[in-house]
Amino acid sequence: MAAFSSLTDRLSNAFKHLKSKGKLSETDIDGTIREIRRALLDADVALEVVRSFTARVRERALGTEVSQALNPAQQVVKIVDEELTDVLGAGVDRPLNFAKNPPTIIMLAGLQGAGKTTLAGKLGYWLKDSGHTPLLVAADLQRPNAVTQLQVVGERAGVPVYAPEKGVQSDGGDDVTVPGLTTGDPVKVARDSIALAKQKLYDTVIIDTAGRLGVDEELMQQARDIRDAVQPNEILFVIDAMIGQDAVKTAKAFDEGVDFTGVVLSKLDGDARGGAALSVASVTGKPILFASTGEGFKDFEVFHPDRMASRILD
Ligand code: GDP
């Protein structure tokens, strides 16, 4: 995984020093823990997460776990693997919460540029591929061309898109047409889309919402208004794995703002330090459900904490 390649190298180096040891002393373990701590911090994993993670690994490594089958180095790797799985949100057994009575409503939230619109296409394609009948909904009426972008994404993925008509904007007394901008009430768009889904038997509705460059209260209120109007089964918080330490702050703000139900990590194919995204599940207590790994609508996977931990430690 490109976003974690440097972390993978650093962790593998940290374990290398243990390989020649027959039995590990406290000094050996502390040396390794120090290297793990540095590797995680350099990868941008949040300090609070690094602290509790390394404390748990240290405690377990010093503990009485004795295995006939594994040598000391393998035991430490196994502990790190299990604790990393835990940080990534072990214990989630669902990719999505489907409604008992369709449509299942999925709302996407996150900063502008996080990858929401792209994700809408990916999710739509994935759902369609597994026998569902999804509908994408353009409720981002803030950003010029956002509606058109979703329409393009939907067309590529072969998933229908519900969008308001291109509108005119009132500018003082005169109405002016703003190219690429669709005006209207995103809450009404979301509500109308559910009525349409019921009528046309779409079983999943994926609502793309507006994002700003930074967290702001107006954006949060709009997201809450949409949420309260349609009562989604899932609110997915999409986070760009490349945004570094801001990931934790942003995730906390969205968690307080809209109380999301799951996280989607996007741009895991990027080559920056993706560690901050690894902190999000632990900091918010919300599961990571999907990972986005490219710009194409098939660059997408269900997130499995244990598999991701193994890939990072590969
Ligand atoms: P939105 O503002 O949250 O709707 O974000 P977009 O879906 O428009 O994505 C912003 C930019 O990131 C676009 O250029 C996308 O092509 C790109 N993008 C989205 N997801 C990924 C991903 O997983 N990997 C890469 N490399 N680029 C992505």
Side-chain angles (χ1 to χ4, degrees), residues 77-110:
V77 174
K78 181 167 175 283
I79 292 169
V80 170
D81 190 347
E82 286 167 6
E83 291 296 334
L84 192 54
T85 303
D86 203 50
V87 163
L88 293 173
V92 180
D93 57 359
R94 71 172 208 275
L96 281 175
N97 245 328
F98 287 99
K100 283 201 190 73
N101 297 316
T104 296
I105 301 167
I106 302 166
M107 173 176 151
L108 309 182

Side-chain angles (χ1 to χ4, degrees), residues 108-120 122 140 143 146 149 153 156 208-212 238 240 242 265-270 291-296 299-300:
L108 309 182
L111 295 180
Q112 183 175 316
K116 292 181 296 301
T117 307
T118 311
L119 175 75
K122 294 176 180 191
D140 176 358
R143 186 163 57 92
Q149 194 196 338
V153 160
R156 256 188 228 144
D208 189 19
T209 67
R212 304 281 161 80
V238 184
D240 176 344
M242 301 291 108
L265 300 183
S266 75
K267 309 193 193 179
L268 284 187
D269 53 312
S292 240
T293 54
E295 297 187 73
D299 300 327
F300 168 79

Side-chain angles (χ1 to χ4, degrees), residues 84-312:
L84 192 54
T85 303
D86 203 50
V87 163
L88 293 173
V92 180
D93 57 359
R94 71 172 208 275
L96 281 175
N97 245 328
F98 287 99
K100 283 201 190 73
N101 297 316
T104 296
I105 301 167
I106 302 166
M107 173 176 151
L108 309 182
L111 295 180
Q112 183 175 316
K116 292 181 296 301
T117 307
T118 311
L119 175 75
K122 294 176 180 191
L123 255 184
Y125 180 81
W126 178 75
L127 285 164
K128 193 181 73 154
D129 204 39
S130 48
H132 288 276
T133 49
L135 175 69
L136 308 186
V137 179
D140 176 358
L141 308 185
Q142 220 75 37
R143 186 163 57 92
N145 289 325
V147 172
T148 316
Q149 194 196 338
L150 188 70
Q151 283 167 328
V152 170
V153 160
E155 200 163 308
R156 256 188 228 144
V159 179
V161 176
Y162 176 77
E165 293 293 315
K166 280 240 160 62
V168 287
Q169 193 171 50
S170 187
D171 179 20
D174 297 324
D175 283 348
V176 289
T177 306
V178 182
L181 183 74
T182 307
T183 55
D185 175 6
V187 176
K188 181 173 178 336
V189 171
R191 212 184 267 128
D192 289 352
S193 75
I194 308 301
L196 179 81
K198 285 182 179 156
Q199 187 196 339
K200 301 257 172 141
L201 303 182
Y202 292 110
D203 71 0
T204 356
V205 178
I206 301 166
I207 304 174
D208 189 19
T209 67
R212 304 281 161 80
L213 289 175
V215 177
D216 76 42
E217 197 30 53
E218 200 187 327
L219 153 80
M220 232 28 118
Q221 190 55 49
Q222 185 183 94
R224 271 196 295 271
D225 289 344
I226 296 175
R227 175 193 71 185
D228 295 346
V230 303
Q231 313 251 323
N233 302 89
E234 296 277 11
I235 302 170
L236 301 184
F237 168 63
V238 184
I239 181 110
D240 176 344
M242 301 291 108
I243 70 169
Q245 289 291 350
D246 273 354
V248 166
K249 203 175 73 199
T250 309
K252 282 181 177 167
F254 272 88
D255 197 25
E256 277 163 30
V258 296
D259 192 15
F260 55 79
T261 59
V263 179
V264 180
L265 300 183
S266 75
K267 309 193 193 179
L268 284 187
D269 53 312
D271 54 9
R273 306 178 292 182
L278 300 181
S279 322
V280 167
S282 168
V283 164
T284 63
K286 303 288 171 71
I288 302 170
L289 301 179
F290 298 100
S292 240
T293 54
E295 297 187 73
F297 58 81
K298 292 183 189 170
D299 300 327
F300 168 79
E301 55 190 71
V302 175
F303 188 88
H304 298 286
D306 52 345
R307 284 185 220 168
M308 184 55 79
S310 303
R311 269 150 85 176
I312 291 172

